[in-house]
Amino acid sequence: MKKLAVIISSILLSSAATTAIAADTYQSISHVGYVDVDGDDTLSVDSTYYFSPKATLGPYDQFEYINKQTNVYGAYSDNDFADVTSIGGEYFVEDFVLGVQYNNFDSDFGSSTDVIELSAGYFFNPNLLLKATFVDVEDAENQFVFDLAYNHELNSTDYIGFTVTADDEFDYRAVAAKYFADLQQGNYLTVEGKFEDVDGGSSNWELASNYYFSKATSVFVTVNKNDDYTLGAQHFFNNNVGLEAGYGNNWDDSDYDAYFANVSLQF
C-alpha cells in the first residue's frame, strides 16, 4: 500500500509539473475595440487564424517575436472620417514566407484608395528573417519596403527582438526593438521601442512597457516624442476572453481626452 501511494504521488507531481510549464496555444485570435477621442468614436474589429497552434510565452497575449505560422487575417475600422478594410495572409514553406495584403481606405468625404502589398521573405536561420514587400498604391508611386528581423534568445523564455525597416530609396527608415523577460514567480515584463525617420519630414520615437502580475493581468504605459501618453490595464477572465481599458492624453495639450477599450477572444 505504501509503495502504491508513492507511485500515485509521483504521478500527480509529474502531472502538476507538466501543467505548470505547458504553454497555452491558440489558432484564432480576435479583437473588438472602441476608442473615443474628444467625441470622435472609432470602432474596430480584427481576427487572425493560424493553421497550426501558436504557443504563448507565459502571458496569454505574448508570443514569439517572429511569427512562423501560416495564417489569414482581416481587419475593419470605422470613425467619423473614414473606414479602413484589410485582408491578407502569410504562407510559410521551409525557409520561405510569402504574403499578400489588400487595404481599402474609404473616406467619408467621397474618395477611396486601394493598396495592395505583396511580400516574400527568407529565413537565414529560425531567428533571422529578411523580407521584401512591394507596395502598390492606387494613383500613386509604387515602392519596395525591406524588413530585417532578428530574435536574440537570452534563455528558454527571454529574448530581445530587433526589426530594421527601410524603403527602396532609403527615404524612410525605422528601427524597432522588444525585450521580453520572465521575472519568475508568475511575473513578466515587456519593454518596446521604435524610432522612425523620414527625409523631408520629422523623426518620431515611441516607448511602451507592460508589467504582468500574472499571465492574465497586466498594466501598461506608452509615451512618444510628441508627449502623447497612454496608460491602462488588461485582464483575462479565463484563457479565452480578455478585456483591456485605458486612457490617453498629451502632457502639453490636455484638451483631447482619449478613452479606449478592447476585448480579446482567443481560441
Tab-separated table of all heavy atoms in Angstrom, residues 139-177:
chain	number	residue	atom	x	y	z
A	139	ASP	N	-3.147	55.215	-57.817
A	139	ASP	CA	-2.901	56.594	-58.247
A	139	ASP	C	-1.725	57.230	-57.519
A	139	ASP	O	-1.691	58.452	-57.281
A	139	ASP	CB	-4.148	57.464	-58.052
A	139	ASP	CG	-5.342	56.976	-58.856
A	139	ASP	OD1	-5.131	56.472	-59.974
A	139	ASP	OD2	-6.480	57.083	-58.366
A	140	ALA	N	-0.734	56.425	-57.161
A	140	ALA	CA	0.460	56.949	-56.502
A	140	ALA	C	1.657	56.094	-56.916
A	140	ALA	O	1.512	55.042	-57.543
A	140	ALA	CB	0.302	56.948	-54.986
A	141	GLU	N	2.841	56.539	-56.548
A	141	GLU	CA	4.058	55.836	-56.926
A	141	GLU	C	4.218	54.560	-56.101
A	141	GLU	O	4.058	54.561	-54.886
A	141	GLU	CB	5.269	56.749	-56.708
A	141	GLU	CG	6.579	56.141	-57.179
A	141	GLU	CD	7.747	57.101	-57.005
A	141	GLU	OE1	7.495	58.282	-56.687
A	141	GLU	OE2	8.897	56.654	-57.194
A	142	ASN	N	4.545	53.457	-56.780
A	142	ASN	CA	4.790	52.198	-56.092
A	142	ASN	C	6.159	52.225	-55.424
A	142	ASN	O	7.041	52.997	-55.806
A	142	ASN	CB	4.724	51.029	-57.075
A	142	ASN	CG	3.389	50.952	-57.791
A	142	ASN	OD1	2.365	51.314	-57.232
A	142	ASN	ND2	3.402	50.474	-59.024
A	143	GLN	N	6.348	51.336	-54.450
A	143	GLN	CA	7.636	51.288	-53.768
A	143	GLN	C	7.874	49.906	-53.177
A	143	GLN	O	6.953	49.096	-53.040
A	143	GLN	CB	7.710	52.338	-52.661
A	143	GLN	CG	6.730	52.111	-51.522
A	143	GLN	CD	6.933	53.098	-50.381
A	143	GLN	OE1	8.010	53.663	-50.203
A	143	GLN	NE2	5.895	53.303	-49.585
A	144	PHE	N	9.131	49.645	-52.834
A	144	PHE	CA	9.512	48.438	-52.106
A	144	PHE	C	9.899	48.825	-50.682
A	144	PHE	O	10.521	49.874	-50.456
A	144	PHE	CB	10.701	47.743	-52.779
A	144	PHE	CG	10.323	46.903	-53.963
A	144	PHE	CD1	10.365	47.432	-55.236
A	144	PHE	CD2	9.928	45.572	-53.795
A	144	PHE	CE1	10.022	46.653	-56.339
A	144	PHE	CE2	9.580	44.795	-54.888
A	144	PHE	CZ	9.630	45.338	-56.162
A	145	VAL	N	9.548	47.972	-49.741
A	145	VAL	CA	9.925	48.150	-48.343
A	145	VAL	C	10.632	46.875	-47.894
A	145	VAL	O	10.179	45.764	-48.179
A	145	VAL	CB	8.698	48.422	-47.451
A	145	VAL	CG1	9.125	48.524	-45.983
A	145	VAL	CG2	8.004	49.699	-47.884
A	146	PHE	N	11.763	47.056	-47.180
A	146	PHE	CA	12.568	45.920	-46.737
A	146	PHE	C	12.598	45.870	-45.204
A	146	PHE	O	12.753	46.898	-44.540
A	146	PHE	CB	13.992	46.026	-47.275
A	146	PHE	CG	14.051	46.051	-48.779
A	146	PHE	CD1	14.063	47.257	-49.467
A	146	PHE	CD2	14.077	44.870	-49.509
A	146	PHE	CE1	14.113	47.293	-50.849
A	146	PHE	CE2	14.119	44.890	-50.899
A	146	PHE	CZ	14.134	46.109	-51.569
A	147	ASP	N	12.439	44.648	-44.677
A	147	ASP	CA	12.489	44.428	-43.233
A	147	ASP	C	13.519	43.348	-42.923
A	147	ASP	O	13.536	42.295	-43.566
A	147	ASP	CB	11.130	43.966	-42.697
A	147	ASP	CG	10.067	45.036	-42.824
A	147	ASP	OD1	10.060	45.949	-42.000
A	147	ASP	OD2	9.230	44.940	-43.746
A	148	LEU	N	14.333	43.610	-41.908
A	148	LEU	CA	15.257	42.601	-41.395
A	148	LEU	C	14.939	42.422	-39.916
A	148	LEU	O	15.097	43.349	-39.109
A	148	LEU	CB	16.705	43.047	-41.569
A	148	LEU	CG	17.772	42.048	-41.093
A	148	LEU	CD1	17.729	40.773	-41.938
A	148	LEU	CD2	19.160	42.668	-41.117
A	149	ALA	N	14.449	41.225	-39.554
A	149	ALA	CA	14.043	40.942	-38.175
A	149	ALA	C	14.974	39.907	-37.571
A	149	ALA	O	15.294	38.884	-38.206
A	149	ALA	CB	12.599	40.441	-38.132
A	150	TYR	N	15.390	40.172	-36.331
A	150	TYR	CA	16.295	39.257	-35.639
A	150	TYR	C	15.821	39.055	-34.202
A	150	TYR	O	15.475	40.018	-33.504
A	150	TYR	CB	17.721	39.809	-35.628
A	150	TYR	CG	18.678	39.009	-34.765
A	150	TYR	CD1	19.001	37.693	-35.102
A	150	TYR	CD2	19.252	39.567	-33.632
A	150	TYR	CE1	19.873	36.952	-34.315
A	150	TYR	CE2	20.129	38.826	-32.842
A	150	TYR	CZ	20.437	37.522	-33.185
A	150	TYR	OH	21.290	36.786	-32.409
A	151	ASN	N	15.779	37.797	-33.782
A	151	ASN	CA	15.381	37.446	-32.425
A	151	ASN	C	16.581	36.859	-31.688
A	151	ASN	O	17.089	35.800	-32.050
A	151	ASN	CB	14.229	36.432	-32.445
A	151	ASN	CG	13.848	35.991	-31.051
A	151	ASN	OD1	13.642	36.814	-30.167
A	151	ASN	ND2	13.767	34.678	-30.838
A	152	HIS	N	17.050	37.565	-30.655
A	152	HIS	CA	18.188	37.087	-29.865
A	152	HIS	C	17.653	36.420	-28.604
A	152	HIS	O	17.100	37.092	-27.724
A	152	HIS	CB	19.123	38.241	-29.503
A	152	HIS	CG	20.287	37.822	-28.666
A	152	HIS	ND1	21.267	36.970	-29.142
A	152	HIS	CD2	20.624	38.121	-27.386
A	152	HIS	CE1	22.165	36.767	-28.192
A	152	HIS	NE2	21.797	37.453	-27.119
A	153	GLU	N	17.800	35.113	-28.518
A	153	GLU	CA	17.284	34.359	-27.379
A	153	GLU	C	18.254	34.468	-26.207
A	153	GLU	O	19.404	34.055	-26.290
A	153	GLU	CB	17.074	32.902	-27.772
A	153	GLU	CG	16.030	32.712	-28.866
A	153	GLU	CD	15.871	31.252	-29.264
A	153	GLU	OE1	16.777	30.452	-28.920
A	153	GLU	OE2	14.870	30.912	-29.904
A	154	LEU	N	17.770	35.028	-25.092
A	154	LEU	CA	18.598	35.157	-23.896
A	154	LEU	C	18.606	33.876	-23.078
A	154	LEU	O	19.597	33.534	-22.441
A	154	LEU	CB	18.089	36.321	-23.043
A	154	LEU	CG	18.105	37.693	-23.739
A	154	LEU	CD1	17.447	38.736	-22.858
A	154	LEU	CD2	19.540	38.097	-24.070
A	155	ASN	N	17.473	33.170	-23.083
A	155	ASN	CA	17.355	31.851	-22.453
A	155	ASN	C	16.120	31.192	-23.054
A	155	ASN	O	15.671	31.592	-24.131
A	155	ASN	CB	17.276	31.955	-20.924
A	155	ASN	CG	16.210	32.927	-20.452
A	155	ASN	OD1	15.079	32.897	-20.940
A	155	ASN	ND2	16.559	33.814	-19.522
A	156	SER	N	15.542	30.221	-22.387
A	156	SER	CA	14.415	29.478	-22.962
A	156	SER	C	13.148	30.322	-23.101
A	156	SER	O	12.243	29.964	-23.858
A	156	SER	CB	14.106	28.245	-22.108
A	156	SER	OG	13.761	28.621	-20.777
A	157	THR	N	13.064	31.454	-22.383
A	157	THR	CA	11.873	32.305	-22.461
A	157	THR	C	12.201	33.738	-22.875
A	157	THR	O	11.523	34.325	-23.700
A	157	THR	CB	11.130	32.347	-21.115
A	157	THR	OG1	12.039	32.809	-20.093
A	157	THR	CG2	10.599	30.983	-20.737
A	158	ASP	N	13.247	34.321	-22.309
A	158	ASP	CA	13.546	35.739	-22.522
A	158	ASP	C	14.190	35.965	-23.894
A	158	ASP	O	14.941	35.120	-24.397
A	158	ASP	CB	14.497	36.255	-21.442
A	158	ASP	CG	13.934	36.079	-20.044
A	158	ASP	OD1	12.810	35.543	-19.919
A	158	ASP	OD2	14.624	36.459	-19.095
A	159	TYR	N	13.914	37.137	-24.468
A	159	TYR	CA	14.528	37.475	-25.751
A	159	TYR	C	14.613	38.992	-25.916
A	159	TYR	O	13.944	39.766	-25.231
A	159	TYR	CB	13.738	36.874	-26.920
A	159	TYR	CG	12.374	37.495	-27.163
A	159	TYR	CD1	12.244	38.723	-27.814
A	159	TYR	CD2	11.212	36.845	-26.759
A	159	TYR	CE1	10.997	39.293	-28.052
A	159	TYR	CE2	9.962	37.407	-26.979
A	159	TYR	CZ	9.865	38.628	-27.633
A	159	TYR	OH	8.628	39.192	-27.846
A	160	ILE	N	15.466	39.397	-26.853
A	160	ILE	CA	15.489	40.770	-27.354
A	160	ILE	C	15.313	40.674	-28.861
A	160	ILE	O	16.101	40.016	-29.549
A	160	ILE	CB	16.807	41.490	-27.027
A	160	ILE	CG1	17.042	41.550	-25.521
A	160	ILE	CG2	16.794	42.899	-27.605
A	160	ILE	CD1	18.357	42.192	-25.131
A	161	GLY	N	14.266	41.300	-29.392
A	161	GLY	CA	13.993	41.265	-30.822
A	161	GLY	C	14.229	42.621	-31.460
A	161	GLY	O	13.951	43.668	-30.853
A	162	PHE	N	14.760	42.613	-32.689
A	162	PHE	CA	15.028	43.844	-33.423
A	162	PHE	C	14.446	43.736	-34.831
A	162	PHE	O	14.493	42.673	-35.451
A	162	PHE	CB	16.533	44.104	-33.559
A	162	PHE	CG	17.272	44.208	-32.260
A	162	PHE	CD1	17.866	43.084	-31.695
A	162	PHE	CD2	17.382	45.421	-31.600
A	162	PHE	CE1	18.557	43.162	-30.504
A	162	PHE	CE2	18.071	45.519	-30.408
A	162	PHE	CZ	18.665	44.390	-29.856
A	163	THR	N	13.911	44.832	-35.335
A	163	THR	CA	13.463	44.901	-36.724
A	163	THR	C	13.929	46.226	-37.325
A	163	THR	O	13.635	47.298	-36.781
A	163	THR	CB	11.938	44.804	-36.844
A	163	THR	OG1	11.486	43.579	-36.276
A	163	THR	CG2	11.503	44.866	-38.310
A	164	VAL	N	14.647	46.135	-38.434
A	164	VAL	CA	15.109	47.317	-39.166
A	164	VAL	C	14.319	47.400	-40.461
A	164	VAL	O	14.207	46.412	-41.188
A	164	VAL	CB	16.621	47.246	-39.465
A	164	VAL	CG1	17.072	48.473	-40.238
A	164	VAL	CG2	17.412	47.099	-38.167
A	165	THR	N	13.753	48.585	-40.752
A	165	THR	CA	12.895	48.774	-41.923
A	165	THR	C	13.374	49.974	-42.740
A	165	THR	O	13.776	50.993	-42.166
A	165	THR	CB	11.434	49.001	-41.502
A	165	THR	OG1	10.993	47.916	-40.695
A	165	THR	CG2	10.519	49.120	-42.718
A	166	ALA	N	13.320	49.850	-44.080
A	166	ALA	CA	13.673	50.966	-44.959
A	166	ALA	C	12.975	50.769	-46.291
A	166	ALA	O	12.698	49.635	-46.705
A	166	ALA	CB	15.183	51.067	-45.159
A	167	ASP	N	12.694	51.884	-46.987
A	167	ASP	CA	12.139	51.769	-48.331
A	167	ASP	C	13.274	51.697	-49.348
A	167	ASP	O	14.452	51.788	-48.995
A	167	ASP	CB	11.169	52.912	-48.632
A	167	ASP	CG	11.843	54.279	-48.663
A	167	ASP	OD1	13.086	54.336	-48.591
A	167	ASP	OD2	11.127	55.286	-48.767
A	168	ASP	N	12.907	51.515	-50.639
A	168	ASP	CA	13.923	51.268	-51.656
A	168	ASP	C	14.806	52.476	-51.932
A	168	ASP	O	15.918	52.332	-52.447
A	168	ASP	CB	13.283	50.778	-52.957
A	168	ASP	CG	12.124	51.647	-53.392
A	168	ASP	OD1	11.801	52.622	-52.689
A	168	ASP	OD2	11.519	51.349	-54.433
A	169	GLU	N	14.362	53.684	-51.608
A	169	GLU	CA	15.184	54.881	-51.802
A	169	GLU	C	15.778	55.388	-50.489
A	169	GLU	O	16.394	56.443	-50.447
A	169	GLU	CB	14.355	55.981	-52.475
A	169	GLU	CG	13.890	55.601	-53.872
A	169	GLU	CD	13.151	56.734	-54.558
A	169	GLU	OE1	12.933	57.789	-53.910
A	169	GLU	OE2	12.830	56.573	-55.743
A	170	PHE	N	15.566	54.647	-49.444
A	170	PHE	CA	16.072	54.983	-48.109
A	170	PHE	C	15.546	56.331	-47.612
A	170	PHE	O	16.176	57.002	-46.797
A	170	PHE	CB	17.609	54.981	-48.104
A	170	PHE	CG	18.183	54.515	-46.793
A	170	PHE	CD1	17.926	53.240	-46.318
A	170	PHE	CD2	18.961	55.356	-46.024
A	170	PHE	CE1	18.438	52.809	-45.103
A	170	PHE	CE2	19.489	54.934	-44.805
A	170	PHE	CZ	19.223	53.660	-44.352
A	171	ASP	N	14.362	56.719	-48.113
A	171	ASP	CA	13.727	57.946	-47.627
A	171	ASP	C	13.065	57.707	-46.268
A	171	ASP	O	12.906	58.637	-45.479
A	171	ASP	CB	12.664	58.435	-48.620
A	171	ASP	CG	13.281	58.891	-49.934
A	171	ASP	OD1	14.424	59.376	-49.904
A	171	ASP	OD2	12.621	58.758	-50.975
A	172	TYR	N	12.659	56.483	-46.037
A	172	TYR	CA	12.036	56.108	-44.763
A	172	TYR	C	12.904	55.073	-44.083
A	172	TYR	O	13.319	54.084	-44.694
A	172	TYR	CB	10.631	55.541	-44.985
A	172	TYR	CG	10.015	54.953	-43.733
A	172	TYR	CD1	9.423	55.774	-42.784
A	172	TYR	CD2	10.050	53.574	-43.499
A	172	TYR	CE1	8.873	55.236	-41.619
A	172	TYR	CE2	9.494	53.030	-42.348
A	172	TYR	CZ	8.910	53.872	-41.407
A	172	TYR	OH	8.381	53.343	-40.260
A	173	ARG	N	13.172	55.292	-42.793
A	173	ARG	CA	13.996	54.369	-42.015
A	173	ARG	C	13.369	54.197	-40.636
A	173	ARG	O	12.859	55.168	-40.053
A	173	ARG	CB	15.415	54.914	-41.868
A	173	ARG	CG	16.096	55.189	-43.199
A	173	ARG	CD	17.321	56.071	-43.042
A	173	ARG	NE	16.982	57.410	-42.596
A	173	ARG	CZ	16.637	58.407	-43.406
A	173	ARG	NH1	16.562	58.182	-44.712
A	173	ARG	NH2	16.351	59.602	-42.932
A	174	ALA	N	13.414	52.978	-40.135
A	174	ALA	CA	12.843	52.721	-38.810
A	174	ALA	C	13.590	51.579	-38.138
A	174	ALA	O	14.076	50.653	-38.805
A	174	ALA	CB	11.359	52.372	-38.916
A	175	VAL	N	13.677	51.658	-36.820
A	175	VAL	CA	14.257	50.595	-36.002
A	175	VAL	C	13.301	50.333	-34.847
A	175	VAL	O	12.902	51.267	-34.141
A	175	VAL	CB	15.642	50.977	-35.446
A	175	VAL	CG1	16.171	49.843	-34.565
A	175	VAL	CG2	16.613	51.271	-36.571
A	176	ALA	N	12.917	49.075	-34.666
A	176	ALA	CA	12.036	48.692	-33.565
A	176	ALA	C	12.723	47.601	-32.745
A	176	ALA	O	13.475	46.777	-33.291
A	176	ALA	CB	10.695	48.183	-34.087
A	177	ALA	N	12.480	47.608	-31.451
A	177	ALA	CA	13.080	46.601	-30.569
A	177	ALA	C	12.081	46.213	-29.486
A	177	ALA	O	11.236	47.020	-29.083
A	177	ALA	CB	14.364	47.126	-29.934
